[in-house]
Amino acid sequence: MAGFDLKAFQKAQFVPRETEVTLDALVEAGFGDGVVKVRGLTAHELAEAEESASKGRLLSDLVERLAGSGKDKVGALMDGIGYHQDVPASLAKRLEHVRLATVEPEMDLADVAKLAEVFPVEFSIVANKIMELTGKGQQAQVKRKPSGAKQASKQA
């Protein structure tokens, strides 16, 4: 039995797994091409999101911690989209996942919360795609051997 190739794993360089998701409802609503680029999360980011959710913080506290400035503006926006009190832990965690793993366009927590409130299905599509990528792990940067007449099928 071959087993886990620890030496190859130790030598490998990894990059985050990324993909683009097209959010059809955003296209239909007139918000550009609806394409959002997301990546998988790291163990640290997963733990950070879990901690944020499990502490039962108010969303405004999360925003203050993550965004730093503009608390009043963010608070007004949160009130405007219906986030007045504690956010359920499961939602807080997913909001944090989407904030951390959205590559393009970069969104702050207020943007993510607004997306979740006004396009809940599209928000779920993004959050689910992020977890799918996270589950697959990062991609190893594999050096490909040049193609030639003879192709070996040996592991590098």
Side-chain angles (χ1 to χ4, degrees):
M1 186 156 106
F4 174 46
D5 188 348
L6 183 59
K7 288 194 187 320
F9 179 75
Q10 290 168 337
K11 290 179 190 174
Q13 298 293 314
F14 292 90
V15 294
R17 194 175 295 272
E18 295 183 347
T19 194
E20 290 184 346
V21 182
T22 301
L23 303 175
D24 295 331
L26 297 181
V27 176
E28 290 169 23
F31 298 112
D33 64 6
V35 174
V36 177
K37 186 176 188 179
V38 296
R39 64 171 175 81
L41 294 162
T42 64
H44 185 271
E45 290 168 332
L46 286 168
E48 191 179 310
E50 187 71 41
E51 194 171 283
S52 294
S54 68
K55 286 183 178 173
R57 292 182 180 141
L58 293 172
L59 189 59
S60 60
D61 291 343
L62 259 178
V63 170
E64 182 181 5
R65 182 174 63 85
L66 299 169
S69 60
K71 185 183 173 197
D72 293 338
K73 181 182 171 196
V74 169
L77 176 60
M78 293 297 110
D79 288 344
I81 60 173
Y83 285 99
H84 307 287
Q85 283 302 323
D86 285 320
V87 174
S90 61
L91 176 58
K93 186 165 41 173
R94 286 171 66 87
L95 290 168
E96 187 71 348
H97 289 166
V98 173
R99 183 193 70 82
L100 290 165
T102 302
V103 177
E104 186 67 37
E106 251 183 67
M107 293 193 280
D108 62 25
L109 196 56
D111 299 325
V112 174
K114 186 173 184 177
L115 176 67
E117 182 68 14
V118 298
F119 287 102
V121 171
E122 306 304 274
F123 168 77
S124 287
I125 289 169
V126 172
N128 291 342
K129 181 55 75 173
I130 288 166
M131 290 314 292
E132 179 186 320
L133 293 173
T134 301
K136 291 180 178 180
Q138 293 192 4
Q139 289 178 303
Q141 296 283 71
V142 182
K143 290 181 182 171
R144 302 271 181 224
K145 292 188 175 178
S147 296
K150 258 187 177 176
Q151 209 156 13
S153 59
K154 286 185 182 178
Q155 228 33 54

